[in-house]
Amino acid sequence: MTRTVYVNGEYLPETEAKVSVFDRGFLFADGVYEVTSVLDGKLVDFDGHAKRLERSLNELEMKAPATSDELLEIHRELVAKNGIDEGLVYLQITRGAPGDRDFAYPAADVPPTLVLFTQNKPGLADNPTAKTGIKVISVPDVRWGRRDIKTVQLLYPSMGKMMAKAAGCDDAWMVEDGKVTEGTSNNAYIVKGNKIITRELSTDILHGITRAAVLQMAREAQMEVEERAFTIDEAQSADEAFFTSASAFVMPVVEIDGVPVAGGKPGPIAARLREIYIDESRKVAL
Ligand code: PDD
């Protein structure tokens, strides 16, 4: 089936959608994005994603091409047009397409580019990998210093995934000054006893929307949460390890740099958080 995508005010078949070769997203990775999951044909945590998008745009002095309400309508329209029950909506805004390549930002009258498309992922909630867990390697975190802004500069995370694949693993956790920052496209956690440990918010990591929801739900379920950085050694000897993201929800990590975590089996806390997160998200999805 040909997907319907959205480009600058128009719903088009994916084969007809076009963006200029001068678009700054293409030439300079001068763009921001959001990925929102869809469960039961509804958007999970839309408000959180809309708020973070606004923050990313503000941090980069980029114009918003639409209000949050308008973006919600576009998301819903695309989900409906493409018949998505479980999957993702990808949104990207760039600083637009001035007539030439120039490092300086274009004049204020150059309109931003707005693109959205869906990815159909049946079985997203029932992902069998959540029962077996995934294996990660550690890699140095050599990204820029504003990882709190959700930009489309994703080459190093892509390289991290490829390094993981080459090592027979699924993903990479990035390490800076001896401590884990985050996964290539997710936030990283360990569990010690009844305590969930994850790096505190700063410019070093993306402020995950799933992270915020999961930590709130964990606290409501009387679990202890400690926001601090941890080492790979600490993670390898933890009772559990897992990560969160809009596309994977809560996903157990069972091996780090070849060392099994807690006997190489997913743990009960990650399983419980995954269940709570998916159940609660279904109830309030838009
Ligand atoms: N990635 N950290 C990084 C570097 C990320 O790219 C992501 C999300 C997260 C988790 O954030 P959230 O819970 O808001 O999805 C953390 C998305 C899913 C992606 O790039 O596809």
Side-chain angles (χ1 to χ4, degrees), residues 2 7 45 64 69 102 130 139 157 171 199 202-203 226 239 259 262-264 270 273:
T2 308
V7 182
D45 269 332
D69 285 348
D102 187 343
V139 299
D171 199 10
R199 196 179 176 105
S202 71
T203 51
E226 189 179 350
D239 294 322
V259 176
L273 286 174

Side-chain angles (χ1 to χ4, degrees), residues 33-36 45 49 52 88 90 143 147 150-151 154 157 174 182-189 205-212 244-249 277:
Y33 77 108
E34 283 295 331
V35 175
T36 304
D45 269 332
H49 289 285
R52 185 173 61 193
L88 306 169
Y90 176 88
R143 296 173 301 161
R147 302 159 193 157
K150 197 163 172 63
T151 75
L154 297 173
M174 294 179 279
E182 56 188 335
T184 57
S185 58
N186 47 66
N187 291 117
Y189 306 71
I205 61 166
L206 186 74
H207 302 188
I209 302 307
T210 321
R211 176 190 183 281
T244 66
S245 76
S247 49
F249 305 131
Y277 179 73

Side-chain angles (χ1 to χ4, degrees), residues 13-185:
E14 63 183 66
T15 45
E16 287 170 30
K18 291 195 181 77
V19 174
S20 164
V21 295
F22 298 111
D23 195 276
R24 288 183 59 92
F26 178 57
L27 296 178
F28 293 99
D30 188 358
V32 299
Y33 77 108
E34 283 295 331
V35 175
T36 304
S37 58
V38 178
L39 287 177
D40 311 321
K42 293 187 186 154
L43 298 155
V44 172
D45 269 332
F46 178 82
D47 290 341
H49 289 285
K51 281 205 185 76
R52 185 173 61 193
L53 177 67
E54 200 182 313
R55 180 174 180 278
S56 295
L57 290 169
N58 283 338
E59 291 296 312
L60 295 174
E61 296 169 47
M62 217 182 268
K63 275 181 294 199
T67 65
S68 288
D69 285 348
E70 287 164 346
L71 291 178
L72 176 59
E73 271 324 296
I74 301 168
H75 276 73
R76 284 178 160 160
E77 194 66 31
L78 274 187
V79 167
K81 281 187 192 299
N82 292 292
I84 308 292
D85 182 53
E86 290 194 358
L88 306 169
V89 182
Y90 176 88
L91 169 153
Q92 181 169 330
I93 298 172
T94 77
R95 207 181 301 273
D100 266 320
R101 179 176 181 269
D102 187 343
F103 280 79
Y105 291 174
D109 61 352
V110 172
T113 301
L114 174 60
V115 168
L116 287 92
F117 58 82
T118 54
Q119 288 192 194
N120 193 25
K121 292 198 178 280
L124 187 66
D126 268 334
N127 187 348
T129 310
K131 299 247 162 22
T132 52
I134 68 140
K135 298 175 182 179
V136 303
I137 57 164
S138 62
V139 299
D141 195 340
V142 301
R143 296 173 301 161
W144 78 327
R146 289 303 307 274
R147 302 159 193 157
D148 55 313
I149 308 174
K150 197 163 172 63
T151 75
V152 297
Q153 310 175 64
L154 297 173
L155 182 54
Y156 188 67
S158 252
M159 290 168 71
K161 284 255 190 222
M162 296 312 290
M163 289 186 256
K165 266 191 205 289
C169 293
D170 310 285
D171 199 10
W173 277 10
M174 294 179 279
V175 175
E176 187 172 59
D177 299 330
K179 303 271 172 67
V180 174
T181 51
E182 56 188 335
T184 57
S185 58

